Amino acid sequence: MTEDTDRLLEAMPFARGLGIEDVHATPDEVTGALPWREDLCTSGGVLHGGVLMSLGDALGAYCALLNLPAESTSTTTIESKTNFLRAVRGGRISATSRPLHRGRTMIVVDTEIRDPDGRLVARVTQTQAVLSR
């Protein structure tokens, strides 16, 4: 487990239940992965869309946290949009979050989620409100 994975799981216990692993984080990019599991699927062994959304939200929130202005303490998701592009029926998905906008009152993050073959599975764009002390 990486130090960045430990930090994410400590800050967001829900990420532990999802099984997010191999997190690497800088203010410019946060990456992580999630293995396919049967208990995270819908019918036909397809990874549930909510899992994809949650992976995007978790890594995106961590990316926003790393981009907080000095006088701020945390963020909260105020808007999230997901485009689902293909089904995942096995393997390990990977995600990459990058900030699109780093503002004083909000941060916008884009997350690409890819299947084991590198094909784009989903794209999550979220807006995080910046919370001050």
Side-chain angles (χ1 to χ4, degrees), residues 6 17-18 21-23 25-26 29 37 41 43 60-61 69-71 73-74 76 82-83 91 101 106 117 125 129 132:
D6 289 339
L18 280 175
E21 57 190 26
D22 292 332
V23 176
T26 69
E29 183 176 276
R37 296 191 334 241
C41 290
S43 62
E71 68 280 359
T73 57
S74 65
T76 189
T82 304
N83 291 102
H101 172 76
M106 71 177 154
D117 295 323
T125 305
S132 298

Side-chain angles (χ1 to χ4, degrees), residues 5 9 11 23-24 28-29 42 51 75 106 110 116:
T5 302
L9 299 180
V23 176
H24 298 278
D28 293 326
E29 183 176 276
T42 185
V51 172
T75 69
M106 71 177 154
D110 179 69

Side-chain angles (χ1 to χ4, degrees), residues 13-69:
F14 178 70
R16 184 180 315 281
L18 280 175
I20 296 174
E21 57 190 26
D22 292 332
V23 176
H24 298 278
T26 69
D28 293 326
E29 183 176 276
V30 175
T31 62
L34 189 140
W36 179 96
R37 296 191 334 241
E38 186 176 357
D39 66 313
L40 297 178
C41 290
T42 185
S43 62
V46 174
L47 198 61
H48 193 284
V51 172
L52 300 174
M53 294 169 72
S54 294
L55 174 62
D57 185 66
L59 293 183
Y62 194 34
C63 184
L65 192 65
L66 295 174
N67 283 283
L68 282 173

Side-chain angles (χ1 to χ4, degrees), residues 93-107:
I93 58 174
S94 60
T96 303
S97 297
R98 294 181 183 97
L100 297 176
H101 172 76
R102 303 173 221 212
R104 189 176 44 79
T105 60
M106 71 177 154
I107 299 169

